[in-house]
Amino acid sequence: RPNGRMRYANNSNYKNDVMIRKEVTVNKCVLAELKRIIEDSDIVKESDESWPEPDHVGSQELEVVCGSDHISFTCGKIGSLLDVQ
């Protein structure tokens, strides 16, 4: 967000746990570097179409808002690199 606010949420359903939410505000230098990384990566042109669907284990979501671009990716919980094929 332009105000530097970043949010994190984890809804793992592990042992019927509640959702974990964290929020942090970063300064303009950090925000500029994040914007550069997002723009250089072209992530806003990607799709989560072939990603694993969320299931009973949980889900992971990445939402990116950068200027007029807004994209959200959702997939099943990934526990390790062995889960990525």
Side-chain angles (χ1 to χ4, degrees):
R1 304 277 180 196
N3 63 1
R5 185 182 334 165
M6 294 175 54
R7 292 181 287 186
Y8 167 84
N10 183 339
N11 188 14
S12 70
N13 296 327
Y14 178 72
K15 295 185 178 179
N16 297 321
D17 203 3
V18 296
M19 184 175 296
I20 300 167
R21 295 179 187 269
K22 302 288 182 182
E23 187 172 303
V24 64
T25 302
V26 297
N27 66 28
K28 290 181 183 183
C29 294
V30 173
L31 190 59
E33 181 63 10
L34 287 169
K35 184 177 180 180
R36 184 195 67 76
I37 291 169
I38 291 166
E39 290 172 347
D40 288 354
S41 72
D42 283 334
I43 193 167
V44 294
K45 297 178 183 174
E46 297 298 325
S47 169
D48 61 0
E49 190 174 281
S50 62
W51 291 11
E53 292 290 324
D55 57 18
H56 70 282
V57 176
S59 66
Q60 296 181 144
E61 182 175 332
L62 173 64
E63 181 178 17
V64 177
V65 178
C66 189
S68 62
D69 294 318
H70 182 186
I71 192 163
S72 180
F73 302 99
T74 303
C75 73
K77 209 67 164 157
I78 299 172
S80 73
L81 286 176
L82 296 175
D83 295 336
V84 180
Q85 298 182 24

